[in-house]
Amino acid sequence: MIEKPLHIGVDATTWSNDRGFGRFTRELLTALLARDSGFRYTLLADRPKDAELPENVEVVYASTKRSFSESATDSLSRSVADLWRLGRAARRQKFDLFFFPAVHTYFPVPARVPCVMCYHDAVTERMPEMLFPTRLNHLLWQGKMALAKFQCSRAMTVSQASATDLHKLFRFSKGRIDVVTEAADAIFRVRNDVASVAKARAKYAIPANADLLLYVGGLNRHKNILGLLQAIRGVISQRPSTHLAIVGRISGSGFWDNYAELQSFIESQPSLGPHIHFTDYIDDDAFVVLLNSAAALVFPSLCEGFGLPAVEAMACGTPVLASDRGSLPEVVGEAGLYFDPDNPRCIADCILGFLSDDPLRAHLSELALKRAQTFSWQRSAELAEDCFKSCYTDYASH
């Protein structure tokens, strides 16, 4: 039984990150701050200039030399001094509980403060060879995860598939894991805006009459974009009207991607190049237009913790063609079709079968809209607060 309002510190250093865990941070905290359930939140951030944080909450700045986004690159990492500054800022606040929306940005906090940490997936444990450029990078990550687990009072994750991985790979007991699902922002909806669609297609040199497939996310090896490109090569040989737009940052800034490998493959296939369109990072409004313009979102990942773009696509009535791995079948349900991501021929067959069946396309679009409605950030916030209560109660009772 909790007899006082809990003062919860939140690591907000991921707020400005444009990957999935950055959006999770922004959307979940916005939903939490909109609730009137007796919790008091204080955000702990890097530096004032690094993020546009909400105005309806107390924010403490650690004044680090580099932000998380600047540090998460091949050649740089957070310095010991910056980790100390973050920990010192947390110590000064005397929080009842501390919440890391992503374990990626973990830093040591006072031992007396119980911690909830969100592990979005276990990709780094399942396939480290696809995530780390050197053995040293992997060893440093393992060291950080060992310390994070030691300080983790309760683990949060975003799907049952990820919860199973936390139990098997991280050895968390099932009773210490809470699932807090994700949802699409309200901007993701059906938009019958012919002019905007035409403008977007023209901007990225996508023919007006193309059967457009969309990929969105990181360009990392485990996302299996190379396998998708191999499949698309077979698709266009039978259906030349097919085009693929790849939405995601191509600079490599912050994460180790294989963009150069993808470009090399495309250049080796002269017939493929005109059908592939890299958009780089785009804002949500432009993304919504492309989703409404697409026949389907294709999600070929070898391992996924949740797969938020799938829910965003479904909210636009766009069917999802997805890998049968990880969380994707759990998230998409009957609103999509599935393939073996290790088999480009299987991916191609799935795409061709979908594109050639108009009744199926219409049916999956209807199911997608219904499926998206089962996810909400309001529900996510409720589940998160239940997790915080359980964490504090368990910690206080020992």
Side-chain angles (χ1 to χ4, degrees):
M1 185 71 179
I2 300 174
E3 299 179 352
K4 64 171 185 175
L6 293 184
H7 183 196
I8 298 178
V10 182
D11 170 29
T13 62
T14 61
W15 184 274
S16 60
N17 186 273
D18 60 26
R19 298 290 290 243
F21 59 82
R23 185 179 290 274
F24 176 83
T25 300
R26 294 187 295 274
E27 297 284 2
L28 180 61
L29 288 179
T30 299
L32 286 169
L33 294 174
R35 291 171 59 79
D36 183 18
S37 48
F39 289 82
R40 174 190 167 199
Y41 295 97
T42 297
L43 308 188
L44 178 56
D46 296 296
R47 300 175 302 187
K49 67 179 181 179
D50 289 324
E52 296 182 1
L53 295 167
E55 297 180 353
N56 61 331
V57 64
E58 179 184 4
V59 181
V60 174
Y61 294 101
S63 299
T64 59
K65 296 296 184 183
R66 289 199 302 263
S67 69
F68 164 70
S69 297
E70 291 170 335
S71 298
T73 65
D74 297 32
S75 58
L76 299 173
S77 60
R78 275 179 163 175
S79 67
V80 173
D82 276 352
L83 293 174
W84 181 82
R85 290 183 182 97
L86 288 161
R88 179 182 62 180
R91 285 192 297 274
R92 288 176 172 175
Q93 295 302 307
K94 295 182 171 55
F95 297 122
D96 295 313
L97 183 148
F98 200 84
F99 173 45
F100 288 92
V103 73
H104 302 72
T105 54
Y106 165 77
F107 54 85
V109 297
R112 68 180 185 281
V113 179
C115 290
V116 170
M117 297 187 194
C118 187
Y119 293 75
H120 288 260
D121 55 52
V123 180
T124 51
E125 283 63 42
R126 281 191 171 277
M127 42 192 71
E129 72 283 357
M130 292 192 174
L131 270 295
F132 301 102
T134 69
R135 174 67 174 164
L136 177 60
N137 291 118
H138 187 206
L139 288 173
L140 291 172
W141 173 264
Q142 288 178 310
K144 183 170 83 167
M145 287 302 97
L147 186 55
K149 183 184 176 184
F150 178 77
Q151 282 214 278
C152 180
S153 308
R154 197 165 187 88
M156 179 187 292
T157 193
V158 290
S159 67
Q160 290 295 337
S162 286
T164 298
D165 279 348
L166 287 190
H167 174 61
K168 291 182 177 180
L169 301 177
F170 286 92
R171 304 299 181 187
F172 281 105
S173 65
K174 293 181 179 180
R176 289 177 59 203
I177 303 171
D178 295 300
V179 175
V180 175
T181 55
E182 304 180 30
D185 186 89
I187 194 173
F188 293 93
R189 65 189 188 282
V190 176
R191 285 178 55 174
N192 298 312
D193 188 343
V194 177
S196 293
V197 167
K199 183 178 180 180
R201 286 199 171 206
K203 179 178 181 179
Y204 300 112
I206 302 167
N209 62 345
D211 286 320
L212 178 62
L213 302 173
L214 205 59
Y215 166 84
V216 61
L219 307 186
N220 310 100
R221 289 178 61 201
H222 75 283
K223 296 292 187 177
N224 195 34
I225 304 172
L226 182 59
L228 176 58
L229 292 175
Q230 292 169 341
I232 293 296
R233 180 180 55 183
V235 170
I236 62 174
S237 68
Q238 298 186 48
R239 198 176 179 100
S241 62
T242 305
H243 285 246
L244 172 67
I246 299 175
V247 179
R249 197 175 296 280
I250 62 176
S251 67
S253 175
F255 291 90
W256 302 292
D257 65 32
N258 67 335
Y259 177 61
E261 182 183 12
L262 302 178
Q263 286 284 48
S264 178
F265 177 78
I266 293 170
E267 290 169 3
S268 73
Q269 307 290 323
S271 64
L272 186 60
H275 295 260
I276 307 300
H277 311 269
F278 286 92
T279 71
D280 207 341
Y281 173 79
I282 60 177
D283 62 26
D284 284 350
D285 190 64
F287 180 35
V288 170
V289 173
L290 279 181
L291 277 174
N292 276 270
S293 171
L297 178 79
V298 186
F299 218 139
S301 182
L302 299 176
C303 183
E304 202 67 38
F306 183 81
L308 182 56
V311 180
E312 293 168 341
M314 292 189 295
C316 295
T318 304
V320 180
L321 312 181
S323 163
D324 60 7
R325 306 284 175 82
S327 62
L328 293 173
E330 173 187 339
V331 171
V332 178
E334 296 181 353
L337 301 178
Y338 302 95
F339 50 74
D340 176 357
D342 285 322
N343 188 337
R345 181 70 261 173
C346 184
I347 300 174
D349 287 345
C350 179
I351 293 171
L352 287 167
F354 170 79
L355 292 177
S356 63
D357 191 334
D358 288 341
L360 175 63
R361 290 170 65 167
H363 179 59
L364 289 178
S365 180
E366 292 178 2
L367 291 178
L369 287 169
K370 294 178 181 178
R371 181 67 176 169
Q373 293 172 4
T374 65
F375 299 93
S376 78
W377 285 111
Q378 291 72 29
R379 177 56 179 158
S380 301
E382 293 176 12
L383 293 170
E385 288 188 346
D386 287 343
C387 175
F388 300 154
K389 292 174 186 175
S390 295
C391 178
Y392 184 80
T393 300
D394 290 346
Y395 184 85
S397 64
H398 288 86

